[in-house]
Amino acid sequence: PKGYRMSKRNSLTLPDIRNVFRLLNEMQELKTDRRLGRHNLIQGLCGLLSARQGVSLCWSGFSSTGQLKLLEFVGGGWASPEAAALWEQAMNVAQWRGDPVLNQATCIAGDVRAFRRCELVCDEDFHASEVYNQISKHSDTDDLLVGWFRHGQQDQVTGLSFQRSWGDRRFSPRQREILRLVVSELQLLHKAGKVDPPPTGPPGLPPRLAQLLTELLTGKSEKQIAAAMGLSKLTVNDYVKRLYRRLDVQSRPELMAQFIQPAPQGDAPR
């Protein structure tokens, strides 16, 4: 495939490569709904990688000296609603700051990278970490497979992370190479403008509220947003109230007026 060099160390099979490009093509077909496209990609990769669950994340400040900020979080393949809620809460309160895998990854140079957890941190360090004891342990997940590509400015990256259940076999070098192929091709799609950039939202807005803002600005109803975000309508309604308070608006029209600029009036057709 273009942008990916095979070597003797790679153990990818032809079916592996075909499955990766099938999933990427399906994601591109859903380009008009970014979250749904990401969600379907993650679910497909969970099957391909034999993972229990996975997430797609976008970060800015992804370097050893940067101010790390989570811009987007999309999950998929959750083992249970409780696991989904646990990880979402952790992302919203920046609990990922205690993740030794993430901290090690930010120190690694290179545009496209993929690693098994054991290649970044030892078991002892991971199992003693805050992110394991407060998140992974309670969602019954352990081993990790991570990959990312750099793009844009301010050390921005898009990453994919997959977890396996406690006691399952570790991710293999072949599965790492599958993920490396995925992030390599995602970078090429991003450069070609075939993958839209993630929403950034106002500074300081939690990732889930930033995603909600993007959905609201498309004109979707709360019922449609609930389906797109994988939440109940009641939860979406609660998020909408929180978003309005954060942005100091009282209604959807006020919100639209704040973020959507009217078209110029001077050159209106006669």
Side-chain angles (χ1 to χ4, degrees), residues 33-59:
D33 192 329
R34 176 187 171 85
R35 287 189 53 79
L36 182 58
R38 288 290 190 279
H39 179 77
N40 284 2
L41 176 65
I42 294 164
Q43 285 195 313
L45 287 173
C46 279
L48 187 58
L49 298 169
S50 300
R52 181 176 185 180
Q53 62 192 38
V55 292
S56 169
L57 310 107
C58 185
W59 308 89

Side-chain angles (χ1 to χ4, degrees), residues 178-196:
I178 290 174
L179 185 57
R180 192 192 305 276
L181 174 59
V182 171
V183 293
S184 176
E185 291 300 319
L186 281 174
Q187 185 191 47
L188 290 176
L189 291 172
H190 187 274
K191 287 181 176 179
K194 296 180 180 179
V195 178
D196 52 331

Side-chain angles (χ1 to χ4, degrees), residues 61-115:
F62 196 86
S63 70
S64 58
T65 58
Q67 295 293 320
L68 193 62
K69 177 183 177 184
L70 180 62
L71 303 177
E72 183 182 49
F73 169 77
V74 181
W78 300 114
S80 67
E82 292 76 18
L86 180 65
W87 280 89
E88 182 171 321
Q89 175 66 16
M91 294 301 105
N92 282 331
V93 300
Q95 210 165 353
W96 39 264
R97 296 188 188 278
D99 185 355
V101 174
L102 177 61
N103 293 338
Q104 183 67 23
T106 60
C107 299
I108 298 174
D111 287 344
V112 176
R113 306 307 298 260
F115 293 95

Side-chain angles (χ1 to χ4, degrees), residues 5 21 41 58 66 104 124 145 149 168 243 258 261 270:
R5 294 182 298 175
F21 279 88
L41 176 65
C58 185
Q104 183 67 23
E124 291 78 7
L145 184 67
F149 69 91
D168 282 357
L243 180 66
Q258 187 174 129
Q261 297 297 320
R270 296 179 180 178

Side-chain angles (χ1 to χ4, degrees), residues 116-236:
R116 296 182 294 156
R117 192 196 75 201
C118 63
E119 296 166 334
L120 295 174
V121 299
C122 66
D123 286 350
E124 291 78 7
D125 288 348
F126 182 71
H127 291 152
S129 69
E130 178 183 347
V131 73
Y132 172 75
N133 284 287
Q134 295 189 17
I135 307 174
S136 299
K137 189 174 182 179
H138 294 286
S139 59
D140 195 31
T141 56
D142 185 22
D143 200 29
L144 284 167
L145 184 67
V146 296
W148 65 89
F149 69 91
R150 296 183 181 274
H151 55 87
Q153 300 178 353
Q154 297 180 343
D155 294 315
Q156 191 172 101
V157 305
T158 291
L160 298 172
S161 174
F162 295 90
Q163 298 86 38
R164 279 189 170 169
S165 296
W166 176 265
D168 282 357
R169 182 182 303 175
R170 292 180 186 270
F171 286 105
S172 69
R174 166 179 156 265
Q175 289 160 336
R176 178 196 60 209
E177 293 306 313
I178 290 174
L179 185 57
R180 192 192 305 276
L181 174 59
V182 171
V183 293
S184 176
E185 291 300 319
L186 281 174
Q187 185 191 47
L188 290 176
L189 291 172
H190 187 274
K191 287 181 176 179
K194 296 180 180 179
V195 178
D196 52 331
T200 57
L205 201 61
R208 205 55 156 165
L209 293 187
Q211 294 164 6
L212 173 65
L213 173 61
T214 301
E215 298 287 357
L216 288 169
L217 294 178
T218 65
K220 291 181 181 178
S221 68
E222 290 188 12
K223 182 178 180 180
Q224 292 171 320
I225 293 171
M229 295 179 68
L231 301 171
S232 70
K233 188 177 177 182
L234 187 63
T235 300
V236 169

